[in-house]
Amino acid sequence: MPTTRAQRATAAVAAGAAATVLAPAFVGPAAPTKLNAVTSAPAPVAASAPASGVGAGASILGAGAAALAATAAVRPNKRCAKKDKVVRLATATEVDVDTECINAIRFLAVDAVNKANSGHPGAPMGQAPIGYLLFAEEMQYNPEDPKWVNRDRFVLSSGHGCMLQYSLLHLAGYDSVSIDDIKQFRQWGSKTPGHPENFETDGIEVTTGPLGMGISNAVGLAAAEAHLAAVYNKPGMELIDHYTYTIAGDGCMQEGISHEACAYAGHLGLGKLIAFYDDNGITIDGHTDLSFTEDVGKRFEAYGWQVLEVPEGNTDVDAIRKAIKEAKACTDKPTLIKVKTTIGFGSPNKADSHDAHGAPLGADEAEATRKQLGWNYGEFEVPDQVYDTFRKHAKAGSEKQAAWNKMWKEYQEKEPELAAQFKRAVMDRKLPDNWTDALPKVTPEDKGKATRLHSQDCLNAIANVLPEFMGGSADLAPSNMTLMKCTGDFLKDSYSERNMRFGIREFGMGAVSNALSLDKTGIIPYCATFTIFTDYMRGAIRIAALSQAGSIFVTTHDSIAVGEDGPTHQPIETLPSLRLIPDLTVMRPADGNETAGAYKYAVERSKNESRPTMMAFSRQAVDNLPNSSIENTMKGAYEVIECEKPELILTIGTGSEVGLCVDAAKKLDGQVRVVSMPSCEVFRASWLWWAVVDSHVAQPDSYKSKLLPADVPKMSVEAEAEPEDRSIFGNW
């Protein structure tokens, strides 16, 4: 029979009256425990009676059972200082709600990592108070509808500590994370992988793992909230009114992407973005003063953020509460809350060391930690009171959604035109009928021009019919031709506009764009730079493909024909390497119709599938091709110069090189077929995959074999460095 909570408390009090515990001192800020100068043991700390409801108790240690009071020490000034051992008196008292909930999070993390024999327990143990306050008090969410449009967003930027997030989702009542799922942490096919994956687990907003990516995604989520609120909210009917919270660690602060995105957030004044900096001073190599000594707070103040500090994040729950309240009161700046924590908090021998970072505590240390924190429950055991606390707040979120639904009904009556747009674009996430009619079409007789100019025509045509289409360039709008003429600049005082001025921040731009899509409010984001500078945001492009973000990456100056800039700007190896990223479609149009087809594909893939597309456009003018069309482009490859029975050479071209192939074919003797292949990925896609998306573009293998017969010699032409393996074009 399980021991009841009252029985446990009684047993703890009885044991505490006589027991002493020999334990190493924590390395960290002093806990609220009083040391007896004569015995070097802590004097008992009286526990105040908890207030009613969630949030009772100012300190998560003050009412700790057993040896919870044995965690007092002072961080030594030098990294090499030894940890002193002192005799500590085990003082047991009634455990308050805060303590029990926070320790439940800690030990779910400890137990899951131990069972998996792999993972990162230290961060969740230190971040648990922050997570508790967010999911049990602050955030509005409904586990029964994880995609509710007005939910608060939470991003764990330090994704290696994902057992924090899985524990919180489980405690809050998300079906996606059962206790059995937690027991399967880091196992093949589980819903609790080693880093959070939005496409695997409901309740996860974005995929994090590469440090700094999450906090940068949070900027994009906050930007989406600001834009949609400005477009749709009316007095007394705020359809969009939520916060974005993120927890980032020392590693996130060191990665350059956090600088790019957070500087952009400060420039925009995103007042509903609240970031917690888990300042635990530990990375894999050891203490951060080995390599990282800057003042992060002053850095963020320079960005234009409000910066708050919680000196004792392990124990002072009320201080974190107060900081959150102050953050919400500041409406014209994002807020960074710098919370000083101890990695592996509660572990007698591994706290405040890299030993707690990326390895299990082990059975013995887990047991010692249980004693240290007074946690008298077994592995994966959670008291009913903890579930009740989290589920009560989740129920309140469900009630908020019900109130929102009532408001939405009123909105539809009073604002029918905007409501119809909101339902289609945001809630249903569907494209309007016949939107492709706006795309421009050209004939071979029309004067040729650079495909970046065709891109400009397409982009502006789309902007007129799709109000959810928004984005911008990394300070290259006049060169990328990506400025929308029908809207203004998305800035601090003009959130309703759609031209985003990212500045020279390719990596941050990519992460923000991904988040605009992953916000799941129907936004179709694009971002632009030179093709060569995709190297700066390669990590964001890869994560877009992995996490199923519908970002459209627009690039120009796609070959050696970039003018006088020289080899630093010539992307001779870039496109082949981008084609190696799984689930990324690369489109390199050869003329105006192929450009329109590429945009049709990219927009539909973004809106309907939430998948990324990368497009490469030319700086130099190209002629319009015979047989080019939107429909043929959607096949991935098609005949430009038809030949029923090619004899010698079949020329496959992409982009600006297709015109060279056409010219070459005219000078060759014999039967020659010229094929344009705007996208290898689209051409090679299976018929079954395409049939699910859009049956009229599905191409069976018979089409591929007829277009590229196996018994006919072929030559591919593209202005790139020649790879050793040309299997990208298949076995034809």
Side-chain angles (χ1 to χ4, degrees), residues 405-423:
N405 290 338
K406 184 178 179 180
M407 176 180 62
W408 165 235
K409 184 177 181 180
E410 179 187 0
Y411 190 96
Q412 292 177 84
E413 295 171 354
K414 294 182 177 180
E415 299 286 345
E417 186 175 344
L418 268 181
Q421 178 178 301
F422 187 86
K423 187 176 188 305

Side-chain angles (χ1 to χ4, degrees), residues 285-364:
D285 280 356
H287 284 262
T288 53
D289 58 10
L290 285 167
S291 59
F292 184 59
T293 54
E294 68 191 48
D295 189 325
V296 174
K298 289 183 179 179
R299 171 180 145 195
F300 273 73
E301 286 178 350
Y303 293 158
W305 288 53
Q306 174 183 229
V307 176
L308 307 173
E309 291 195 27
V310 177
E312 179 43 71
N314 304 309
T315 63
D316 197 347
V317 180
D318 278 344
I320 303 175
R321 284 192 184 100
K322 180 182 177 183
I324 296 172
K325 184 177 181 180
E326 287 187 47
K328 288 185 172 182
C330 181
T331 60
D332 62 346
K333 294 180 180 181
T335 296
L336 179 75
I337 303 176
K338 184 179 178 183
V339 185
K340 196 65 179 175
T341 68
T342 300
I343 193 170
F345 182 82
S347 170
N349 301 299
K350 295 186 177 182
D352 193 47
S353 76
H354 66 90
D355 292 335
H357 173 78
L361 294 187
D364 291 344

Side-chain angles (χ1 to χ4, degrees), residues 651-671:
T651 306
I652 307 168
T654 74
S656 55
E657 285 74 73
V658 177
L660 295 176
C661 295
V662 171
D663 292 342
K666 294 175 180 178
K667 297 181 179 180
L668 292 173
D669 293 330
Q671 297 293 311

Side-chain angles (χ1 to χ4, degrees), residues 626-646:
N627 288 335
S628 72
S629 67
I630 292 175
E631 293 72 24
N632 278 338
T633 303
M634 298 293 284
K635 298 174 184 178
Y638 65 95
E639 284 183 277
V640 174
I641 294 182
E642 297 175 342
C643 179
E644 183 64 27
K645 295 181 179 180

Side-chain angles (χ1 to χ4, degrees), residues 374-527:
W375 186 250
N376 300 306
Y377 299 94
E379 291 184 354
F380 302 105
E381 186 179 358
V382 179
D384 289 341
Q385 177 175 255
V386 172
Y387 283 120
D388 292 344
T389 299
F390 280 90
R391 304 292 165 88
K392 180 180 179 181
H393 186 70
K395 183 180 179 182
S398 176
E399 292 169 354
K400 287 181 179 180
Q401 183 173 1
W404 186 93
N405 290 338
K406 184 178 179 180
M407 176 180 62
W408 165 235
K409 184 177 181 180
E410 179 187 0
Y411 190 96
Q412 292 177 84
E413 295 171 354
K414 294 182 177 180
E415 299 286 345
E417 186 175 344
L418 268 181
Q421 178 178 301
F422 187 86
K423 187 176 188 305
R424 177 197 64 77
V426 179
M427 297 182 72
D428 296 341
R429 304 203 295 275
K430 292 182 178 179
L431 291 164
D433 294 337
N434 304 317
W435 74 272
T436 55
D437 292 348
L439 291 172
K441 299 176 179 63
V442 298
T443 68
E445 291 72 34
D446 292 328
K447 184 179 180 180
K449 59 183 179 181
T451 54
R452 65 171 174 161
L453 296 177
H454 288 301
S455 169
Q456 181 184 39
D457 295 340
C458 292
L459 189 147
N460 275 280
I462 292 168
N464 285 323
V465 296
L466 297 181
E468 63 265 47
F469 188 65
M470 68 183 299
S473 171
D475 196 54
L476 288 170
S479 294
N480 297 146
M481 304 296 177
T482 49
L483 202 63
M484 291 179 283
K485 299 174 183 178
C486 65
T487 184
D489 293 332
F490 176 80
L491 296 171
K492 187 172 184 177
D493 297 319
S494 54
Y495 291 144
S496 63
E497 307 299 334
R498 294 186 279 149
N499 282 309
M500 304 185 81
R501 302 290 190 167
F502 288 109
I504 308 167
R505 305 181 179 108
E506 282 87 356
F507 200 1
M509 173 181 70
V512 168
S513 297
N514 290 346
L516 292 175
S517 171
L518 295 174
D519 192 58
K520 299 305 179 188
T521 47
I523 293 174
I524 303 172
Y526 71 90
C527 61

Side-chain angles (χ1 to χ4, degrees), residues 89 198 227 363 470:
L89 177 66
N198 59 287
H227 173 68
M470 68 183 299

